[in-house]
Amino acid sequence: MRKKVKIGLLGLGTVGSGVYRILTEGNTILTQKAGMDLEVDRILVRNLDRKRRVDVESDLLTTDPEMILNNPDISIVVEVLGGEEPARTYIEKALRAGKQVVTANKEVIAKHGVELLKMAREEGVDLFFEASVAGGIPILRPLQESLAGEDVEAVYGIVNGTTNYMLTAMDKQGLDFAEVLADAQERGYAEADPTADIAGHDAARKLAILASIAFNTRVPLDKVYCTGIEKITAADIAGAAELGYVIKLLAIARRVKGGIEARVHPALVPQEHPLAAVDGVYNAVVVQGWAVGTLMFYGAGAGQMPTGSAVVGDVIAAAKNIASGVQGKARVGFAPGAPVVPLEEVETRYYLRLRVVPEPGVLGVVTHLCSREGVELVSLDIKNWGQDSANLIIRTQLVREGAFQRVLKTLKEEPRIYAVESYIRIEGEE
Ligand code: NAP
Ligand code: HSE
C-alpha cells in the first residue's frame, strides 16, 4: 500500500485556496511526483462562515491551530496566513513538533528566516519558502541548486505584483492611484495591509531573502534601503514617457567594492530595456553571474494559482524528503557576510523636475549648484515657460547618493527654485 502524507494548511485565503485546488485537482500526478499520496487533513481559518473561493468540506476547517500543530498524523504544515504573528509562532511550533514546513510568508522569512532555518536543522526537518519571492516564478531553488556553481554579481528586478500592476494601469490606462489599488486588492494581489506593497516593504523583504540566497550571505532586512511608489504622479509617468522611459518599482542587489548594495525604489527604466516590458502583475528577476552571464526569470508575481503552484512545488519537495528519509539534511547556511554598503555611497543616475522662476539666470544657478558637488548633467530641458513659473527637467550622470542629497538640499533652499517636484533614479543605462 502506498504511503500517505497528511498536510495541515494554515490559511485558506488567496494563496491557501490555490494550494488546496492544486493539491486536490492535480492529485494523481502529484502523488507520482511525491512518491506518496498527499492529503489535506485540516485547514486553519479565522472565520468558519466566510464564503470560500474553493469548495471545501466544512469539517476540514478549524479555528484551533492545535488541531494541526499538535496533530501527530500531520507531517507537512503549509503556512499561508500572512503577517508576522501568529504565523512565526505557528511555524516555530510546527518545526519543534518535527513537521516539514512550507511558507509563502516573506515577512516572517525576511525577519526570522535565519533563526527558523537553524531551528529546522536542529529538529531534523526542512523549511521551504520558494513562494515568498516573486510569486509563481521559481527563483530561490534555481539560485540554490542550478546556479550553485555561480558567483552571482547582481540580482535585480520587479518583485512586487501589486505595484507593477498599479504603475502599468496608471501608465497605459491613465487610471488614478486609489482606483488601481482597489482593483489590485480585489484580484488578491495586495497584502492584507497594502501599505506593505505601496511603501516598498514587501519588495524589500523579498530582496533581503533573494540577496541572502544569491550571495550566500545574510542581507539583513533593516539594511535594505526602501522607498515606495506613493509619491509617483501622473506627471512623473508622463515626464518619463517623454524622455523614453517607464517607471518601475525595482529591487536591486549588487556586489560592489566594499560589500553589497541593496535597495528598493521607483526608477526610470529605458523603454527598450527588458524590464520595461514587464507589465501588470508580472514580475521579473534578472540574475547576473560571473560564468552564466545574464538570465531573466519572468512570470506571474502574485495571485491564487501562480503562488499556489510555487507552494505546492515546495510541498512535493517536502514529501519527497520524507519518502527518502532525508528531512533536515539540506545544508542551508550563510557565509560570513559582506556588509551592505551605506546608501550615501551608492551611485545612480537621477531624473529631476524643478519648478523655477522663469528667468534665464536660473539655469546658471542650477548648473552651478550641481557642479559644486561634482554632479554632471546629461541633459537640462526647459518646459512650460510661463509668466509665473517654468519647469526644468534634468538628467544626471552617475552620481553618489551623498552628493545628490547635498545638491537637493541646496536646491530646496534656493529662492529662485519654487519646488523640487520630483526626483527619481534612472536604472538600466550603460
Ligand atoms: P489572505 O487572502 O488574507 O488569506 C489569509 C488566510 O489566513 C485567510 O484564510 C484567513 O482566514 C487566515 N488567517 C489569517 N490570520 C489568521 C489567524 N490568526 N488565525 C487563523 N486564520 C487566519 O492572504 P494571502 O494573500 O493568501 O497571503 C497569504 C501569505 O502568502 C502571505 O504571507 C502573503 O504575503 C503570501 N503571498 C501572497 C501572494 C498573493 O498573491 N496573495 C503571493 C505570494 C505570497 P479567513 O479566511 O477566515 O479570514
Ligand atoms: N503582495 C504581493 C505582491 C504578493 O503584490 O507582489 C506576492 O508576493
Side-chain angles (χ1 to χ4, degrees):
M1 213 176 67
R2 204 166 33 216
K3 280 197 196 157
K4 181 185 282 182
V5 65
K6 291 196 179 192
I7 298 165
L9 196 52
L10 306 177
L12 191 64
T14 302
V15 182
S17 53
V19 171
Y20 185 80
R21 263 193 72 187
I22 299 167
L23 283 173
T24 49
E25 294 174 23
N27 205 277
T28 314
I29 187 86
L30 300 187
T31 297
Q32 285 167 6
K33 289 181 186 169
M36 289 180 160
D37 282 332
L38 302 169
E39 183 184 294
V40 178
D41 183 77
R42 193 69 59 180
I43 305 172
L44 179 73
V45 293
R46 210 166 12 199
N47 178 354
L48 292 173
D49 301 323
R50 174 160 293 165
K51 193 171 174 326
R52 300 287 158 193
R53 290 164 166 233
V54 276
D55 287 333
V56 178
E57 285 178 29
S58 59
D59 58 358
L60 281 187
L61 302 181
T62 178
T63 54
D64 177 6
E66 297 306 319
M67 297 277 284
I68 292 172
L69 303 173
N70 239 337
N71 181 343
D73 295 337
I74 289 178
S75 313
I76 301 179
V77 169
V78 176
E79 185 279 307
V80 282
L81 299 171
E84 188 173 359
E85 288 294 349
R88 191 210 62 83
T89 303
Y90 292 172
I91 292 173
E92 173 171 352
K93 281 190 173 180
L95 295 172
R96 291 291 185 213
K99 301 182 191 307
Q100 300 280 79
V101 175
V102 173
T103 179
N105 194 324
K106 41 271 157 110
E107 182 169 6
V108 167
I109 295 299
K111 292 180 181 171
H112 307 286
V114 171
E115 88 210 28
L116 290 171
L117 283 166
K118 186 164 167 274
M119 203 179 289
R121 207 163 40 245
E122 283 164 12
E123 300 297 340
V125 290
D126 300 307
L127 170 64
F128 293 101
F129 45 91
E130 179 65 65
S132 66
V133 178
I137 304 175
I139 182 66
L140 300 182
R141 197 166 293 124
L143 278 167
Q144 284 171 307
E145 295 180 4
S146 324
L147 294 168
E150 198 46 64
D151 192 5
V152 175
E153 292 160 354
V155 58
Y156 60 90
I158 296 165
V159 295
N160 183 270
T162 301
T163 45
N164 204 48
Y165 183 81
M166 292 177 66
L167 290 170
T168 306
M170 286 164 74
D171 181 14
K172 303 234 153 105
Q173 290 151 262
L175 298 179
D176 75 39
F177 198 93
E179 202 176 350
V180 277
L181 173 58
D183 188 17
Q185 286 178 290
E186 177 67 23
R187 289 166 186 265
Y189 302 154
E191 296 301 300
D193 174 3
T195 318
D197 298 293
I198 306 302
H201 302 147
D202 179 77
R205 290 166 189 157
K206 289 166 176 165
L207 187 67
I209 299 169
L210 190 59
S212 298
I213 301 282
F215 300 126
N216 193 40
T217 189
R218 186 158 178 244
V219 175
L221 177 60
D222 62 3
K223 296 278 190 268
V224 177
Y225 167 77
C226 170
T227 320
I229 65 162
E230 311 93 317
K231 291 191 180 152
I232 300 296
T233 60
D236 292 328
I237 291 174
E242 267 187 45
L243 294 171
Y245 299 99
V246 289
I247 298 182
K248 297 288 181 191
L249 182 71
L250 295 189
I252 301 169
R254 184 173 281 131
R255 270 190 206 283
V256 289
K257 203 163 155 248
I260 289 169
E261 191 178 293
R263 52 196 165 97
V264 168
H265 53 74
L268 270 66
V269 177
Q271 280 162 353
E272 62 280 7
H273 192 284
L275 288 177
V278 177
D279 280 343
V281 73
Y282 283 87
N283 284 189
V285 179
V286 177
V287 179
Q288 277 172 359
W290 173 66
V292 76
T294 300
L295 304 171
M296 182 157 124
F297 297 75
Y298 169 83
Q304 182 195 30
M305 299 308 279
T307 313
S309 166
V311 172
V312 174
D314 278 354
V315 170
I316 306 267
K320 275 164 110 171
N321 283 0
I322 296 173
S324 24
V326 294
Q327 301 104 289
K329 297 280 190 290
R331 211 200 71 81
V332 191
F334 297 117
V340 175
V341 296
L343 185 71
E344 296 72 48
E345 291 174 22
V346 168
E347 287 194 331
T348 51
R349 294 178 169 80
Y350 262 101
Y351 160 91
L352 184 62
R353 194 175 67 244
L354 309 177
R355 193 157 52 78
V356 299
V357 173
E359 291 170 5
V362 78
L363 296 183
V365 171
V366 171
T367 49
H368 169 70
L369 292 177
C370 290
S371 71
R372 212 172 56 173
E373 290 294 344
V375 174
E376 289 178 39
L377 308 187
V378 173
S379 64
L380 193 163
D381 297 318
I382 305 161
K383 298 259 168 194
N384 311 320
W385 191 276
Q387 291 261 314
D388 302 325
S389 69
N391 278 123
L392 297 189
I393 314 292
I394 296 169
R395 279 181 296 167
T396 73
Q397 285 288 11
L398 272 180
V399 44
R400 273 203 174 206
E401 184 68 25
F404 184 78
Q405 290 301 332
R406 286 194 295 277
V407 170
L408 263 189
K409 186 165 177 289
T410 53
L411 289 173
K412 286 177 181 169
E413 287 164 358
E414 165 56 49
R416 279 163 287 184
I417 294 166
Y418 291 142
V420 176
E421 290 186 332
S422 184
Y423 52 98
I424 308 174
R425 294 174 183 85
I426 301 174
E427 292 291 334
E429 281 182 344
E430 291 307 316

